[in-house]
Amino acid sequence: DTEVTQTPKHLVMGMTNKKSLKCEQHMGHRAMYWYKQKAKKPPELMFVYSYEKLSINESVPSRFSPECPNSSLLNLHLHALQPEDSALYLCASSQVQGLQSPLHFGNGTRLTVT
Amino acid sequence: DAKTTQPNSMESNEEEPVHLPCNHSTISGTDYIHWYRQLPSQGPEYVIHGLTSNVNNRMASLAIAEDRKSSTLILHRATLRDAAVYYCTAKAGKLIFGQGTTLQVKP
């Protein structure tokens, strides 16, 4: 079990669907992250939120839309995805977006786009 | 962001020490060195981090070279549960993962 909870664990969606991935943590962390991981590759950073504000967007296509409604929740809204977007989407949190703060990861949502 | 280089794979015998190397020659003076590991079907798990001095915790030890251009993660007694992909990263505001080392532990 991890302290970062991601739902759903698995998601299959068509290219015309709209869906959302959810992430929740109750450790009082003020930085939250989205990563994308393809099979047998390292996680790739997508977005960073710090104190509920978007801090980093790693040039992610607009079909991925992050949202941080409060300090405990992080969403990733998906719209008009492509089959190549199929991957494991990982959420993480850290105390702050600082040099020392370790990241705590969830176990991810495995997304398949058909 | 500092680039890290690790061997693709390593093997170890159970109950023996394992030394996992990492090169980060472009590291800046304020980058912390972080290590994570990822077991199959799980998210990455934090292992240890440090800046200049060697660090120990219940999971592992981190030895950092004096010039900070390399570091070594030390698992003192490998178990089968330590089989995972180990990532070395240099963190300065955002955590960028390198390719990682796949560790196999043989019984």
Side-chain angles (χ1 to χ4, degrees), chain B residues 54-68:
Chain B
N54 294 345
V55 183
N56 300 297
N57 67 20
R58 64 175 179 81
M59 289 182 72
S61 295
L62 177 60
I64 301 172
E66 199 169 328
D67 63 6
R68 294 195 357 108

Side-chain angles (χ1 to χ4, degrees), chain A residues 35 37 42 58 97-98 103 107, chain B residues 36 38 43 91 93-95 98:
Chain A
Y35 283 82
Q37 186 174 28
E58 292 283 289
Q97 189 193 344
L103 269 63
N107 285 328
Chain B
Y36 291 77
Q38 188 171 22
K91 185 171 190 283
K94 56 184 182 180
L95 202 69

Side-chain angles (χ1 to χ4, degrees), chain B:
Chain B
D1 300 318
K3 180 176 164 56
T4 59
T5 305
Q6 299 176 252
N8 287 335
S9 62
M10 292 184 65
E11 280 187 0
S12 171
N13 294 318
E14 199 175 10
E15 298 192 6
E16 289 186 355
V18 182
H19 291 234
L20 297 163
C22 179
N23 287 322
H24 29 78
S25 57
T26 60
I27 196 170
S28 75
T30 54
D31 288 345
Y32 276 77
I33 299 151
H34 285 236
W35 282 81
Y36 291 77
R37 70 181 186 181
Q38 188 171 22
L39 279 67
S41 302
Q42 293 188 19
E45 174 190 25
Y46 165 76
V47 177
I48 200 166
H49 75 284
L51 183 63
T52 55
S53 305
N54 294 345
V55 183
N56 300 297
N57 67 20
R58 64 175 179 81
M59 289 182 72
S61 295
L62 177 60
I64 301 172
E66 199 169 328
D67 63 6
R68 294 195 357 108
K69 294 186 186 301
S70 66
S71 61
T72 301
L73 179 71
I74 303 163
L75 307 179
H76 295 286
R77 289 179 73 234
T79 70
L80 297 178
R81 289 180 296 178
D82 291 322
V85 179
Y86 286 79
Y87 295 105
C88 161
T89 71
K91 185 171 190 283
K94 56 184 182 180
L95 202 69
I96 305 297
F97 288 85
Q99 294 302 307
T101 296
T102 300
L103 175 66
Q104 293 181 322
V105 180
K106 295 186 288 186

Side-chain angles (χ1 to χ4, degrees), chain A residues 3-16:
Chain A
E3 295 165 310
V4 176
T5 304
Q6 292 188 243
T7 54
K9 287 186 168 50
H10 300 274
L11 178 63
V12 179
M13 62 184 288
M15 289 188 284
T16 58

Side-chain angles (χ1 to χ4, degrees), chain A residues 41-82:
Chain A
K41 296 291 187 183
E44 298 174 24
L45 182 64
M46 299 175 73
F47 303 104
V48 181
Y49 272 82
S50 178
Y51 290 87
E52 295 93 69
K53 292 192 187 323
L54 185 63
S55 170
I56 295 174
N57 176 343
E58 292 283 289
S59 302
V60 179
S62 60
R63 57 185 184 271
F64 295 92
S65 175
E67 178 197 20
C68 190
N70 61 54
S71 61
S72 300
L73 293 174
L74 185 66
N75 298 321
L76 186 63
H77 303 297
L78 314 172
H79 172 55
L81 293 194
Q82 304 296 311

